[in-house]
Amino acid sequence: MVLSGIWRKNENSKEPLPENISVSHDKAVPPQAVQELCASVGWSRREPELIVRALQNSLAVVSIWVKGTDFKPDELIGFARATGDKVFNATVWDMVVRPDYQRAGIGRLVMCELLKELDEYQIPLVTLYADPGTDGFYKRFGFLADPSGVRGMFRERIDY
Amino acid sequence: MVLSGIWRKNENSKEPLPENISVSHDKAVPPQAVQELCASVGWSRREPELIVRALQNSLAVVSIWVKGTDFKPDELIGFARATGDKVFNATVWDMVVRPDYQRAGIGRLVMCELLKELDEYQIPLVTLYADPGTDGFYKRFGFLADPSGVRGMFRERIDY
C-alpha cells in the first residue's frame, strides 16, 4: 500500500507524492518497460518498435515509476495513454497498473495526470472502452457508460 | 437514389462511381462545407478553425462530393474521419450523410473508403461509438457491439 495517502486525496490536492514515486508525461517510455508491465496483467505481447511508434502518435502518455536502487532499476508500475484530434475528442487506451501495486492509488494517479493533460488542450469529450467491472473506477472521474444509448463497437483484424 | 447501384455492390466491387460523384481522402476539407453538412443533420455548430485543426490531426478523413454546375458549387454529401495511433487502434468519428442522400449507398461508400485507408496502415482494432439504431449499419462492416462486455464511456466538459 505504497500510496495509501494519495488514494484518499482529492484530485486537486497538493499533497506531495512519496519520494520514491515519480510521474512522467514523456512519450518516449522505454518499450521494454511497457511490454513488461502489460505482460504482468496478462495482455498479449506487442513489438517494441510498434510500441514506440504508437506512443509517439498518441496525444498524451502517462507513466508512473518507482525509483530503483543500486541493485534494481526504476520500475514502471502504472501507465495509460490517449489518442485524439487535440481539439474535439480523445480516447483513453491501455490503462494498466502492475498487480503488486493495485488498490494503492496508482490507477487514480494515472487517470488524474492523463485527464489533467487532456484538459490543458480543452478537449470537450474524452472517451474510453471499459472492461467489465471497471466502470465504477471510471465513474469517479466523470465518465458515464453508454449515455443516450450510444454503444461502443469494435472491428478486430487478427491477421495483422 | 443517386447511388442505388453502389448500394448493392460488395466491398470489393470495381463498379465505377457515377460520374458526378467523387471521393476524397484529403484532410483539407473546407470547414464551411463540414459545418454545413453537420448542420443538415442537426449537429451543433463547431468553429471553422477548430474543424481545420481537428481534421489535420485526424488519421484519416473521407469526404464524398456531388459535382456542381455552372450555377451551383460542388456539394459535400458524406463525411467521416478517424483518429488513432496509426499502429494499434483507430476510432471513427463524425460519420454523416446529407439527409437528401441518405439510403442511397453514400454511408456505405464513406465507411468502405475510410476502412480501406485504415487497413492500409494495418491497424488491428477499429472502434466507434454508435448512436442508437445505427449498430445494424456498422455490423455490415464487421463491427461488434460491446464484445466481452466492454462498454463505451464518455466524459463531457460543456464549459469549453
Side-chain angles (χ1 to χ4, degrees):
Chain A
M1 288 285 183
V2 284
L3 282 192
S4 55
I6 298 298
W7 180 247
R8 288 186 295 269
K9 84 181 167 86
N10 78 47
E11 197 167 339
N12 300 312
S13 157
K14 297 289 180 236
E15 183 181 334
L17 286 169
E19 271 181 22
N20 65 331
I21 302 283
S22 65
V23 175
S24 168
H25 287 254
D26 188 349
K27 292 181 183 177
V29 182
Q32 290 77 6
V34 176
Q35 248 186 348
E36 211 264 303
L37 175 61
C38 292
S40 78
V41 295
W43 291 359
S44 58
R45 194 176 177 281
R46 290 167 161 182
E47 295 303 321
E49 56 275 24
L50 295 182
I51 293 173
V52 170
R53 277 175 46 207
L55 299 197
Q56 206 53 49
N57 294 334
S58 294
L59 193 55
V61 176
V62 168
S63 58
I64 312 290
W65 298 83
V66 171
K67 201 172 163 52
T69 63
D70 290 347
F71 310 103
K72 200 182 163 191
D74 292 356
E75 188 178 28
L76 177 64
I77 61 168
F79 178 90
R81 65 187 178 107
T83 55
D85 63 14
K86 239 178 188 167
V87 180
F88 296 125
N89 61 61
T91 307
V92 177
W93 300 100
D94 303 336
M95 162 78 203
V96 54
V97 174
R98 188 175 294 273
D100 309 353
Y101 289 87
Q102 287 178 6
R103 307 197 152 275
I106 304 295
R108 188 168 200 282
L109 181 61
V110 170
M111 281 302 289
C112 286
E113 290 287 334
L114 192 68
L115 293 173
K116 196 171 69 181
E117 188 170 346
L118 297 176
D119 286 344
E120 281 167 14
Y121 292 118
Q122 301 201 317
I123 295 169
L125 178 66
V126 182
T127 67
L128 55 81
Y129 299 97
D131 284 332
T134 64
D135 56 328
F137 171 75
Y138 294 115
K139 278 179 186 161
R140 292 188 212 160
F141 302 95
F143 287 88
L144 301 175
D146 304 335
S148 319
V150 171
R151 294 185 75 185
M153 296 189 81
F154 300 77
R155 173 179 174 270
E156 287 187 85
R157 296 282 297 253
I158 53 172
D159 48 336
Y160 294 146
Chain B
M1 287 287 184
V2 284
L3 282 191
S4 55
I6 299 298
W7 179 248
R8 288 186 295 269
K9 83 181 167 88
N10 78 48
E11 199 165 336
N12 300 311
S13 158
K14 298 287 181 241
E15 183 182 335
L17 287 169
E19 271 182 20
N20 65 329
I21 302 283
S22 65
V23 175
S24 169
H25 287 254
D26 188 349
K27 293 181 183 177
V29 183
Q32 290 77 7
V34 177
Q35 247 186 351
E36 211 264 304
L37 176 60
C38 292
S40 78
V41 295
W43 291 359
S44 59
R45 194 176 177 283
R46 290 168 160 180
E47 294 302 322
E49 57 273 24
L50 296 181
I51 293 173
V52 170
R53 276 175 47 208
L55 299 196
Q56 208 52 53
N57 294 332
S58 294
L59 193 55
V61 176
V62 168
S63 57
I64 313 289
W65 298 82
V66 172
K67 200 171 164 51
T69 63
D70 289 349
F71 311 104
K72 200 182 163 190
D74 292 356
E75 188 178 28
L76 178 63
I77 61 169
F79 178 90
R81 65 188 179 106
T83 55
D85 62 15
K86 240 178 188 168
V87 180
F88 296 125
N89 61 61
T91 307
V92 177
W93 299 99
D94 302 337
M95 162 77 203
V96 54
V97 174
R98 187 176 296 272
D100 309 353
Y101 289 88
Q102 287 178 8
R103 305 196 153 276
I106 304 295
R108 188 167 199 280
L109 181 61
V110 170
M111 281 303 289
C112 286
E113 291 287 332
L114 191 69
L115 293 173
K116 196 171 70 181
E117 187 170 346
L118 298 176
D119 286 344
E120 280 166 15
Y121 293 119
Q122 300 200 317
I123 295 168
L125 178 66
V126 182
T127 67
L128 55 81
Y129 299 97
D131 284 332
T134 64
D135 55 329
F137 171 76
Y138 294 114
K139 277 179 186 161
R140 292 188 212 160
F141 302 96
F143 287 89
L144 301 175
D146 303 337
S148 317
V150 171
R151 295 185 75 184
M153 296 188 81
F154 300 77
R155 172 179 176 270
E156 286 187 84
R157 297 283 296 255
I158 53 171
D159 47 336
Y160 293 146

